[in-house]
Amino acid sequence: MQDDPNTIDLKEPFARSLAAAWRSWRRYLDLKFRDLGLSQARWSVLFELSRNEEATQIELARVLEIEAASLVRLLDGLENAGLIERRPSVEDRRAKTLHLTDAAWPLIDRMKEISAASRMAILEDVPPQDLRIATEVLIRIAARLELLNNGQNG
């Protein structure tokens, strides 16, 4: 499929802007969560486990797109802090499922509050219609990337 000569110049600035916005958003959250004593790697793990408790280490590494060895070190730290526990999987005795402890939930609740306030601050001046369009575009991009990455390792 040929690019329309009128849109070819939009693709590079769009891609750069998307990447820059994502990096800035993450940096903003990282600064907010630092007050809770959490690194970006730790808060990413905790958020994902709050959405998908009982995930295995392999599943979590895949979702977070990090190496299993790096995840193990993160999980060790979270376990030592009393925020998660590993339990034998009922489906696969070789695997361990990950669970948030009771001590983790107040922290997760505070993280969610910070995230909601951050979204409000970041998106304050963006009209709802623009957010709907941007969401549709990002969904289409994600679907296209999934198609392009289908069958690829990594």
Side-chain angles (χ1 to χ4, degrees):
M1 180 173 158
Q2 283 287 32
D3 282 323
D4 178 339
N6 296 321
T7 62
I8 197 163
D9 292 337
L10 295 175
K11 291 179 180 171
E12 182 188 358
F14 174 81
R16 281 189 286 113
S17 296
L18 179 61
W22 172 239
R23 283 191 305 273
S24 293
W25 192 307
R26 252 167 74 156
R27 188 170 41 253
Y28 183 85
L29 283 178
D30 198 35
L31 291 171
K32 296 292 182 183
F33 290 141
R34 198 171 289 165
D35 293 339
L36 300 177
L38 296 172
S39 66
Q40 185 268 319
R42 282 184 163 206
W43 61 256
S44 295
V45 168
L46 291 171
F47 262 138
E48 189 54 40
L49 282 178
S50 75
R51 292 186 208 82
N52 187 17
E53 201 170 359
E54 299 190 22
T56 65
Q57 291 180 192
I58 292 170
E59 291 165 345
L60 186 60
R62 190 176 311 126
V63 168
L64 295 174
E65 297 181 342
I66 61 175
E67 296 294 322
S70 298
L71 179 61
V72 167
R73 286 189 296 276
L74 282 169
L75 295 175
D76 288 346
L78 292 170
E79 191 170 37
N80 289 336
L83 298 173
I84 68 155
E85 58 184 32
R86 296 170 170 119
R87 298 181 196 154
S89 171
V90 294
E91 296 169 5
D92 180 354
R93 61 184 187 171
R94 298 168 297 170
K96 300 275 190 210
T97 55
L98 304 168
H99 302 264
L100 294 168
T101 63
D102 290 342
W105 287 106
L107 179 61
I108 298 291
D109 290 341
R110 184 69 187 117
M111 290 167 57
K112 288 179 178 181
E113 291 169 6
I114 291 169
S115 292
S118 296
R119 282 191 300 275
M120 293 294 290
I122 293 166
L123 300 172
E124 179 180 349
D125 296 330
V126 181
Q129 183 59 28
D130 288 357
L131 286 175
R132 277 191 280 284
I133 292 168
T135 300
E136 290 171 12
V137 169
L138 291 172
I139 288 169
R140 288 172 54 195
I141 290 169
R144 179 69 178 154
L145 286 167
E146 188 67 29
L147 181 68
L148 292 171
N149 289 329
N150 191 23
Q152 302 292 319
N153 289 331

